[in-house]
């Protein structure tokens, strides 16, 4: 199906993609897992381009879950390097295509070099408005809940908020998204 055949009146505002299976894809074909991750990078580029062309406003890519930290150290290092190089290679294109870059997740676990570069890309694209591309890194729903509980507990302890005022709205305001 061509993009031209898509009903433009029925375009979603937000698309989320769980980037999973690249390593298994490669292994199934007798290739190294790294080759699968490189192919995944190519797929990401196509997805972003398609979202821009369709006028989708928000794209979230679930790229590296908290569970991914259990992978072999060499593979984690490869993925972090691939992330860094991808961002470095694509920064110009993000600005050229008016794409704002954001992140969600517990970024404190990422290597400092990666964290610093993520902040640089966010800063350099913050004024872009055509598409917001959010990368979920070191993300998991359980870890997000734990982070919310910790943050709200600290606020209650420091008398910033009363526990009686914690409701669905307050919890939503503290979620990554």
């Amino acid at each position: 199906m061509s993009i031209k055949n898509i009903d433009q009146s029925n375009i979603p505002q937000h698309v989320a993609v769980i980037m999973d299976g690249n390593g298994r894809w490669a292994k199934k074909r007798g290739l190294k897992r790294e080759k699968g991750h490189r192919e995944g990078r190519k797929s990401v580029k196509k997805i972003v381009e398609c979202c821009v062309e369709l006028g989708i406003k928000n794209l979230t890519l679930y790229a590296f879950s908290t569970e991914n930290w259990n992978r072999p150290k060499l593979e984690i290092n490869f993925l972090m390097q691939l992330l860094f190089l991808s961002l470095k290679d694509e920064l110009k294109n993000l600005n050229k295509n008016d794409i704002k870059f954001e992140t969600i997740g517990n970024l404190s676990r990422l290597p400092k070099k990666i964290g610093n570069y993520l902040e640089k890309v966010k800063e350099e694209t913050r004024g872009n408005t055509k598409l917001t591309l959010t990368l979920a890194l070191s993300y998991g729903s359980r870890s997000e809940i734990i982070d919310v509980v910790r943050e709200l507990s600290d606020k209650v302890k420091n008398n910033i908020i009363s526990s009686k005022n914690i409701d669905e709205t307050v919890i939503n305001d503290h979620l990554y998204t």
Side-chain angles (χ1 to χ4, degrees):
M1 176 184 240
S2 168
I3 287 179
K4 292 172 183 69
N5 296 332
I6 293 176
D7 179 2
Q8 291 296 311
S9 67
N10 199 20
I11 301 294
Q13 291 294 302
H14 192 161
V15 171
V17 177
I18 299 172
M19 298 167 53
D20 187 34
N22 293 323
R24 287 187 301 278
W25 175 89
K27 225 173 157 183
K28 191 175 177 181
R29 287 159 179 74
L31 305 168
K32 291 184 177 181
R33 291 179 60 82
E34 291 83 1
K35 175 70 173 161
H37 296 309
R38 283 191 188 97
E39 289 299 314
R41 177 184 172 186
K42 291 177 189 175
S43 294
V44 164
K45 190 170 174 85
K46 289 177 188 173
I47 291 167
V48 171
E49 289 169 357
C50 184
C51 286
V52 168
E53 188 173 341
L54 287 171
I56 293 169
K57 290 292 184 190
N58 298 285
L59 172 62
T60 300
L61 300 174
Y62 290 86
F64 190 87
S65 72
T66 51
E67 290 81 12
N68 288 149
W69 290 111
N70 297 324
R71 291 179 179 207
K73 185 85 171 137
L74 277 174
E75 186 173 5
I76 293 170
N77 291 341
F78 174 82
L79 289 168
M80 292 297 130
Q81 188 63 19
L82 185 63
L83 171 62
F84 179 76
L85 294 174
S86 298
L87 288 170
K88 208 168 176 187
D89 290 347
E90 293 301 324
L91 179 55
K92 238 182 227 178
N93 284 331
L94 291 173
N95 282 316
K96 179 179 144 196
N97 292 301
D98 200 21
I99 299 170
K100 178 181 181 179
F101 180 78
E102 290 290 336
T103 58
I104 57 172
N106 183 356
L107 305 183
S108 67
R109 291 191 70 185
L110 298 175
K112 190 173 182 168
K113 173 183 170 183
I114 303 294
N116 289 342
Y117 203 75
L118 289 169
E119 290 305 316
K120 172 186 168 63
V121 176
K122 287 195 280 190
E123 178 62 28
E124 290 191 22
T125 63
R126 78 173 191 274
N128 296 343
T129 60
K130 195 169 198 172
L131 170 73
T132 298
L133 169 61
T134 304
L135 209 55
L137 297 164
S138 194
Y139 175 85
S141 58
R142 288 181 180 98
S143 63
E144 181 174 18
I145 291 167
I146 291 167
D147 287 347
V148 169
V149 170
R150 285 180 178 152
E151 187 175 351
L152 289 174
S153 296
D154 286 344
K155 287 184 175 183
V156 168
K157 179 181 168 186
N158 294 314
N159 294 316
I160 296 169
I161 188 173
S162 167
S163 62
K164 292 178 179 129
N165 293 334
I166 297 174
D167 59 12
E168 187 176 336
T169 301
V170 171
I171 291 170
N172 278 336
D173 289 345
H174 288 79
L175 293 172
Y176 295 150
T177 54

